[in-house]
Amino acid sequence: MTPPRSALKRGNHYQVDRDISSLNEEILLFDGLRFVGYDETSLKQVMVEENVERFKSFYGVAPSSLVPFLKDLQDAHPTIIYRDVMMTCNFLKGESLKRCMEPLWGLGSSPIINIFFQIILCMMNIPERNTFVGELIPW
């Protein structure tokens, strides 16, 4: 798997401007792990199952569960930013403290908190649907 052509690097932080409606499990798995610091080489060195477990440790659910939720979220809030949503899901998982997330996502604490509140409000306002088949929502 190669990064999408729209992928940008700002410092050491993986950047991608992607329309959520184009997501599938494989793309979300790749992007999600790249966002939190895995490089392409380390992703290719293990089986897909291991990468899914890595993804779950950062975001709480497998990509197969998160894709439909993200699409519902974008349908309800068309201007939502993919990377900001993923950062918020990572925050909600609760394994990283805010101050640890600042260097991970390349933002200071004030922008991170503002983004979290905006995305969480959007998440609260989408119609409820059972998209997390077989998994409990970790947030």
Side-chain angles (χ1 to χ4, degrees), residues 12-137:
N12 292 327
H13 306 286
Y14 179 70
Q15 302 282 317
V16 64
D17 180 21
R18 188 185 306 285
D19 180 14
I20 292 172
S21 66
S22 69
L23 285 180
N24 61 37
E25 294 173 32
E26 183 181 5
I27 292 170
L28 183 60
L29 178 62
F30 178 83
D31 286 348
L33 292 175
R34 290 298 308 270
F35 284 142
V36 296
Y38 285 93
D39 62 24
E40 192 171 353
T41 302
S42 65
L43 296 177
K44 289 180 177 181
Q45 289 177 340
V46 298
M47 297 184 70
V48 172
E49 294 80 10
E50 176 61 24
N51 282 330
V52 169
E53 290 304 313
R54 289 173 172 175
F55 186 95
K56 288 167 60 175
S57 73
F58 286 97
Y59 301 105
V61 295
S64 60
S65 294
L66 197 52
V67 166
F69 175 77
L70 295 178
K71 289 181 178 187
D72 287 348
L73 186 61
Q74 185 178 48
D75 288 345
H77 303 280
T79 60
I80 204 153
I81 299 169
Y82 174 49
R83 185 173 182 270
D84 291 350
V85 173
M86 295 303 293
M87 180 176 62
T88 302
C89 290
N90 180 224
F91 170 78
L92 291 172
K93 173 63 171 98
E95 290 189 9
S96 297
L97 299 172
K98 177 182 63 73
R99 68 178 155 269
C100 297
M101 292 184 71
E102 293 170 13
L104 182 67
W105 290 92
L107 298 169
S109 62
S110 291
I112 283 179
I113 293 300
N114 291 335
I115 290 168
F116 289 160
F117 285 130
Q118 291 170 8
I119 300 296
I120 291 167
L121 286 173
C122 291
M123 288 175 169
M124 291 170 52
N125 292 317
I126 64 170
E128 190 170 329
R129 185 173 96 164
N130 187 12
T131 57
F132 294 92
V133 178
E135 297 189 66
L136 295 175
I137 300 173

